[in-house]
Every structure is written in structure tokens, then in C-alpha cells.
Amino acid sequence: MSTLHELLMPYLKLADAVIITDINHVILAVNAPYEKITGYGESEITGKKASVLRTSYTPKETHDQMKRALSLGLSWSGVFTNRRRDSSIWHSSITITVIEIDEAFYYIGIFRELEKLKSGFYLPEERIGSIQSSMLKVLAISCEIRDPGIEQHLVRVRELTERLTHFHNERLQLNWPEELVNRITHASILHDIGKSGIPEGILYKPGPLAYYERQIVEMHTQIGVDIIDKIYAGLNDDLFHQELEMGKNIILYHHEKWDGSGYPHQLAGEDIPIEARIVSVVDVFDALTSIRPYKDKWSEERALAFITEQRGLHFDPELVDSFLALIQSHSN
């Protein structure tokens, strides 16, 4: 403690757990809350590398991001899964700030134990994403269980939606956060759950539909939204709130067309939510290139020609350009 610069001492009085290291990540001091959380006394942990608490549960990418930021003199925030002195696991949200004093650099790490937050538990982002994706897939498949090929279609739509969303974001430099891309991807699998309310005789009828049959099929968008509303009313859980809200937009609007001739509300252009415009392209492409009870499978070339023809009519022109470029890059 005597070797610690006096200007760093006030940090140890914070109510949160605090660790102070030198530029080489050697621990110089910790405060009482840190000792309580980790089980390490200051005298036994001082002089050790901060990695003494490290576990393999924290992704390597997290440590790499931290090192890159600190090497540039930038502050960094993230989540660590660490090990206490008694070998038990704890999760912490940490902010590390670089401090320069008398031409020497120090790292001030401020921890909060996530297990102590009001929610009562902590789920890493990766696990939340996995749970959301899996649960939405189960929901979508259970609503369309009558079609034995539906699972493959839903998975293909989800995977291609993810690729197209990433590609479109990068091509146009839209700066969409990864969280938004993930929400669109997860929610895309819900696009046709409303078809569970359409009679099979109409849904899988070979040949053209009569006018009244077409009207019934088009009701699947509103039926799907009603299903989501009922699920969310019963679930009342923030874990799925954003995905279900995004899902409602996709369900309701993925049959709208860029020129305003779609259904159910004849929206046009950018009035159609972007997530619905993305799924519209992907869904049509996968439907065309798949065998259905009422149609033969189209070749990829024929399906791409149709997508191209419908640029600015059925589909968002920029999304068509991204989709064609994505498929082209994948085939090279």
C-alpha cells in the first residue's frame, strides 16, 4: 500500500470493488469490497497478475478487445466470468480506466457483481441470444407443424436473413449494431406462424386459388400478430420483448411490396419496416427454390432473375442489389 501513489488512494474508497494495477497488469492495490467478493485479501493478491482470477468461461475475444483498448490508452467496459479464492464462479461488469500520473500509467478497474443485481441472476449475452433463437424456432415450428418441410424452410430463412442483413449493413455502411442484426435474424423465423390458422385445403391447394381463398390466405398476417400478442400477454418477460415486437413487424408486413401493391395495408417504399423488407426478399427466394405441394422447384438462376425483375416493384431496390451481390460472392 505504501508504494501506491497518493493520487490513486481515493479510488479505493469507492463502494464498488476496485482493483488498481500497473501497466503490466500487476496488482498494486484492491479495496475492501473487492476482498469481500473475491475472497482474496489485499496482502495475498498484491503483486500478482490480474489474470489470477481469470477463467476459460470469459471468451478470448473479450480479453483481446480489452487489451486493444487499453494499449491505445482508451477506457474499456465488459463482462468477465471470474473465479473466487474458493474456486466458485462469479460474473462481473467491469470498467477499466487508464490513468497517467507523473508519466506512469495505471489501470483502475471498477467491478460490480452481477449476481447481486436486482434481477437475481445473470445471463451472458451469448446465452441470451441462444435461448431467444431456440425458443422462437420452437414457437415457429410448433405453429406450422402440419408441413413436414417447414423446419428446413424456417432455418434457411433465418440463416439467409442473417447473411443478407450483415451484408446490406456493410455494403451501405448503415452502422447497424450487432444487437439489431441479431433481433432481425431471430424474429425472421416467425414470419409465417399465422398460416397455422389457414385451412390445409386452401394452404396446400395445387393450382391457382379462387378469390375468396386468396383473401383467406392473406389473413395469415393478422392471425400471426394475434398469436404474438397472446404469447407476449402471457409471457410478460423482457427477455423476448424486442424479438416479439420485431416479429410482429415481419409477420404483418413481409407481404407488402415496394410499389404499394402488397398486403395487408398497401404500404410502399420505406414505410415498410426494413426488417420486413429483408425477410420479403429472403422468403420469396427460398419459396421459389424449394419444392412445395402446389409448385415445382425453380432453379437458382430463374429465382434470381425473378428477384431482379421485381427490383423496385415487389422489393426494395437496394436490398435486391445487396442480395444479388451476396449470392454472387457466395458462388465465387
Side-chain angles (χ1 to χ4, degrees), residues 3 6 15 21-22 50 114 129 139-140 142 154 166 173 175 183 214 229 238 247 263 267 270-271 287 319-320 332:
T3 60
E6 62 179 359
T21 76
D22 64 16
L114 295 175
L139 169 61
S142 65
L154 295 176
H166 271 296
Q173 296 294 296
N175 296 317
R183 287 207 306 270
R214 170 56 59 187
D229 283 339
D238 288 340
Y263 68 88
L267 299 183
E270 294 186 358
D271 288 341
L319 276 171
V320 168
N332 288 340

Side-chain angles (χ1 to χ4, degrees), residues 237-271:
D237 193 318
D238 288 340
L239 185 61
F240 292 98
H241 173 71
Q242 291 178 316
E243 276 70 19
L244 293 180
E245 284 298 315
M246 181 85 62
K248 284 169 63 174
N249 279 346
I250 290 173
I251 292 165
L252 190 59
Y253 301 122
H254 76 285
H255 285 292
E256 300 286 2
K257 296 184 179 180
W258 186 259
D259 64 4
S261 64
Y263 68 88
H265 298 305
Q266 292 77 51
L267 299 183
E270 294 186 358
D271 288 341

Side-chain angles (χ1 to χ4, degrees), residues 13-211:
K13 297 180 181 180
L14 295 175
D16 292 315
V18 176
I19 179 174
I20 301 175
T21 76
D22 64 16
I23 195 69
N24 296 313
H25 305 285
V26 173
I27 299 172
L28 301 178
V30 298
N31 66 355
Y34 187 91
E35 293 177 305
K36 182 177 181 181
I37 290 174
T38 66
Y40 284 99
E42 183 182 31
S43 60
E44 63 180 317
I45 201 172
T46 299
K48 297 182 182 295
K49 282 291 192 88
S51 58
V52 66
L53 304 178
R54 184 173 177 175
T55 72
S56 60
Y57 299 114
T58 302
K60 181 178 181 298
E61 181 183 354
T62 299
H63 287 283
D64 290 343
Q65 290 173 350
M66 176 194 71
K67 291 176 182 176
R68 283 196 297 270
L70 296 182
S71 68
L72 296 173
L74 303 174
S75 298
W76 179 86
S77 296
V79 172
F80 283 162
T81 302
N82 287 335
R83 195 180 301 278
R84 296 184 180 90
R85 192 178 188 280
D86 63 5
S87 296
S88 62
I89 297 297
W90 62 293
H91 301 90
S92 63
S93 171
I94 180 173
T95 297
I96 303 176
T97 303
V98 182
I99 301 292
E100 181 180 3
I101 302 175
D102 296 337
E103 299 183 353
F105 291 91
Y106 303 89
Y107 297 139
I108 312 296
I110 299 177
F111 288 82
R112 286 195 174 183
E113 188 177 11
L114 295 175
E115 283 84 355
K116 300 299 184 183
L117 297 182
K118 290 183 179 180
S119 64
F121 65 94
Y122 170 71
L123 289 175
E125 286 297 323
E126 296 85 354
R127 188 176 174 199
I128 290 174
S130 177
I131 291 172
Q132 290 168 335
S133 178
S134 297
M135 290 299 292
L136 295 178
K137 178 181 175 181
V138 169
L139 169 61
I141 293 172
S142 65
C143 285
E144 298 192 61
I145 199 67
R146 298 172 299 172
D147 185 345
I150 196 63
E151 180 176 358
Q152 290 76 22
H153 167 68
L154 295 176
V155 170
R156 287 194 303 268
V157 166
R158 183 176 66 186
E159 291 176 349
L160 192 49
T161 294
E162 181 177 24
R163 289 168 53 201
L164 176 57
T165 306
H166 271 296
F167 191 92
H168 189 65
N169 184 30
E170 293 174 6
R171 186 178 77 86
L172 297 185
Q173 296 294 296
L174 299 173
N175 296 317
W176 290 344
E178 187 69 17
E179 180 185 1
L180 175 61
V181 174
N182 290 337
R183 287 207 306 270
I184 295 174
T185 299
H186 293 160
S188 66
I189 205 166
L190 300 174
H191 66 281
D192 270 345
I193 65 170
K195 285 185 177 178
S196 61
I198 306 300
E200 290 185 43
I202 296 176
L203 195 59
Y204 303 123
K205 176 183 176 180
L209 298 176
Y211 175 76

